[in-house]
Amino acid sequence: MTETIKNAVCSFCGCLCDDIEVEVERGEIARVRKVCSNGRGLFTHYDPTPRQPTVDGQKVSWEEAIAEAVQVLAEADSPLIYGLSSAVVEAQRKAIELADWLGAIVDTTSSVCHGTTGLALQTVGEPTCTLGEVRNRADLLVFWGCNPAASHLRHFTRYSVTPRGRFTPNGRKDRTVVAVDVRPTGTSRVADIFLQVKPGTDFEVLTTLRTLLQGKADEIVAKSVGGIPIAQLQALVDRMTSCRFGVAFMGMGLTQTRGRDLTISELFTLVAELNEHTRFSVMPMRGHGNVAGADQVMTWQTGYPFGVSYARGYPVYGPGEFSAVDVVSRGEADAALVLASDPIAHWPAATARQLEQIPTIVLDPMPSLTTNIAHVVFPTAQSGVDATGTAYRMDKVPIRLRAVLSRERPTDEEILDQIVEAMR
């Protein structure tokens, strides 16, 4: 017998596409429709078969694994809780509660990707909107330092470039697409206008755009900035001020360039100033399925989006001081709990080797490089496949994840709850 589940949610990336159709035969996923190649792997590569937790690679009971994890965390002087961005809101809240009990440092993957975006937001604000507004209203799209053609495969067709909206009935024909990047990409090939900036010059280009927007072109002596002629930058400003509704999407090409949060602050300020002429918004292209939710939950619970220490008995914010990579690199963490993340695969090699030297507890539905080196591994359920939960889309709209398979594994929240209860 085949059961078709409609309107399932793919939690692979920040798009959180909620129109997925999944066919289940004899308790297994047979087919997945309306999903990109990235999301397809989330559904088809996950094996929901129950697996036992391990301690140093040896299978143990759940009770024994919980006891071992509690002992590791209780004996640590400066434990680190890291990841969160691929976990659901309910598990994120429990992880922060555990950090509070332990006096631990808690950090998300934002600290290595869009943490600088958070710093800019705190400084100058973020004039933003929802993806629904983009679909229905936007007639100018600027993709700066991001390549959704490779990273967010349905973004163009579902939210931004080609869908027909209420005020964009002709879809692609009603929109102008601009790509700004250091090299040609899949996104630049789709764009109507491609501005190729020299690496590390985004700040100068953005300040020049602000200068042109303020009508001070006569104060600019250079004929080009960042390798782009002033005439082309003026044409972009003219297009920005004359559009009906514009949106600037920004990615790690901007968050990791020279200037970091100062560069992003320039973009946010440019967008704010454009609203004196028209309606303009900005939106970070968030990668992990619930990384936007991790920022939200951290801010609810601690007052800060990432890089928080509870060592003093209350939350202390310290980007750089309490960011996971920095803490581990300096040898300050003597135990780590990693939730739904794979730092061994993504951190700098030297930091990853340092993480291997301390006892690490990992909660993850799938084997990874980090589970290979972990002291305790809890194979948990996959949210959106065999577990429910709440996640935040990249535009900070909460989406409820559905389960398309019956659940036979514990969730991240359940394991963390048992650890918290044992700590009490």
Side-chain angles (χ1 to χ4, degrees):
M1 179 179 177
T2 301
E3 178 186 8
T4 301
I5 295 94
K6 295 185 178 181
N7 299 324
V9 181
C10 172
S11 60
F12 180 86
C13 76
C15 286
L16 288 182
C17 297
D18 57 358
D19 62 340
I20 310 302
E21 293 184 5
V22 182
E23 289 188 9
V24 179
E25 295 180 358
R26 295 184 294 275
E28 297 181 354
I29 294 176
R31 280 169 291 278
V32 187
R33 297 189 178 93
K34 299 183 180 180
V35 69
C36 70
S37 56
N38 289 337
R40 187 178 302 279
L42 179 76
F43 288 95
T44 59
H45 293 170
Y46 170 62
D47 181 5
T49 305
R51 291 169 47 212
Q52 285 182 263
T54 61
V55 174
D56 291 332
Q58 302 300 312
K59 294 180 180 179
V60 298
S61 67
W62 290 95
E63 293 77 12
E64 291 173 319
I66 293 290
E68 183 65 22
V70 169
Q71 182 176 350
V72 167
L73 294 172
E75 293 178 352
D77 293 321
S78 181
L80 167 69
I81 296 178
Y82 175 76
L84 281 71
S85 301
S86 291
V88 292
V89 164
E90 294 79 4
Q92 293 168 351
R93 294 178 64 179
K94 192 61 65 172
I96 296 168
E97 181 182 351
L98 177 60
D100 192 0
W101 273 99
L102 292 169
I105 294 169
V106 58
D107 190 30
T108 75
T109 59
S110 289
S111 65
V112 296
C113 58
H114 274 276
T116 51
T117 302
L119 296 177
L121 185 155
Q122 293 168 342
T123 304
V124 300
E126 181 189 45
T128 191
C129 62
T130 67
L131 288 172
E133 290 178 278
V134 175
R135 178 189 179 101
N136 285 297
R137 297 178 180 275
D139 60 336
L140 175 63
L141 305 170
V142 179
F143 294 95
W144 198 308
C146 58
N147 184 22
S151 59
H152 300 76
L153 301 186
R154 296 190 72 205
H155 194 278
F156 286 172
T157 58
R158 182 166 167 76
Y159 299 116
S160 57
V161 176
T162 61
R164 297 179 179 182
R166 182 175 180 182
F167 300 103
T168 52
N170 299 312
R172 180 67 177 89
K173 294 180 181 179
D174 287 336
R175 298 184 176 96
T176 299
V177 180
V178 180
V180 185
D181 217 321
V182 297
R183 63 179 65 85
T185 64
T187 298
S188 69
R189 287 192 288 272
V190 173
D192 301 296
I193 301 169
F194 174 46
L195 302 180
Q196 185 167 350
V197 300
K198 292 181 180 178
T201 63
D202 299 84
F203 182 87
E204 290 85 347
V205 173
L206 286 165
T207 54
T208 303
L209 290 173
R210 289 187 59 201
T211 301
L212 294 171
L213 179 63
Q214 294 164 11
K216 299 178 181 178
D218 56 332
E219 297 184 9
I220 301 175
V221 178
K223 295 183 179 180
S224 66
V225 176
I228 304 173
I230 296 298
Q232 290 188 26
L233 295 177
Q234 181 65 65
L236 176 59
V237 169
D238 294 341
R239 195 176 291 274
M240 285 175 162
T241 55
S242 61
C243 72
R244 182 181 64 249
F245 188 108
V247 182
F249 293 98
M250 45 147 305
M252 288 183 63
L254 201 60
T255 67
Q256 302 303 310
T257 191
R258 190 175 66 178
R260 302 295 196 274
D261 57 298
L262 299 179
T263 301
I264 299 167
S265 292
E266 282 296 298
L267 175 61
F268 285 3
T269 304
L270 171 66
V271 171
E273 292 172 349
L274 282 166
N275 278 276
E276 297 178 7
H277 304 268
T278 184
R279 178 73 170 88
F280 224 97
S281 294
V282 63
M283 189 178 300
M285 296 289 291
R286 306 308 298 271
H288 297 280
N290 195 27
V291 64
D295 291 355
Q296 294 291 309
V297 176
M298 283 285 291
T299 305
W300 299 341
Q301 303 291 88
T302 73
Y304 309 105
F306 65 96
V308 174
S309 172
Y310 277 97
R312 296 183 183 179
Y314 55 87
V316 177
Y317 184 44
E321 182 180 5
F322 301 130
S323 302
V325 170
D326 300 280
V327 168
V328 174
S329 295
R330 294 192 298 259
E332 295 173 0
D334 54 357
L337 186 149
V338 177
L339 175 61
S341 180
D342 190 9
I344 294 295
H346 300 104
W347 280 2
T351 310
R353 288 192 295 269
Q354 188 72 22
L355 182 65
E356 295 180 29
Q357 305 306 312
I358 62 176
T360 303
I361 302 156
V362 179
L363 284 70
D364 204 309
M366 305 279 283
S368 67
L369 293 179
T370 305
T371 61
N372 290 343
I373 62 94
H375 176 55
V376 182
V377 177
F378 293 97
T380 53
Q382 175 66 61
S383 300
V385 180
D386 58 348
T388 60
T390 305
Y392 277 72
R393 207 165 57 187
M394 67 170 66
D395 56 354
K396 303 179 181 67
V397 172
I399 305 289
R400 185 66 181 174
L401 306 184
R402 302 178 60 187
V404 300
L405 298 177
S406 58
R407 182 164 65 86
E408 300 184 52
R409 296 186 184 188
T411 63
D412 297 327
E413 181 188 9
E414 290 171 343
I415 295 299
L416 291 169
D417 190 50
Q418 292 182 48
I419 295 175
V420 168
E421 289 303 314
M423 293 299 300
R424 286 175 176 169

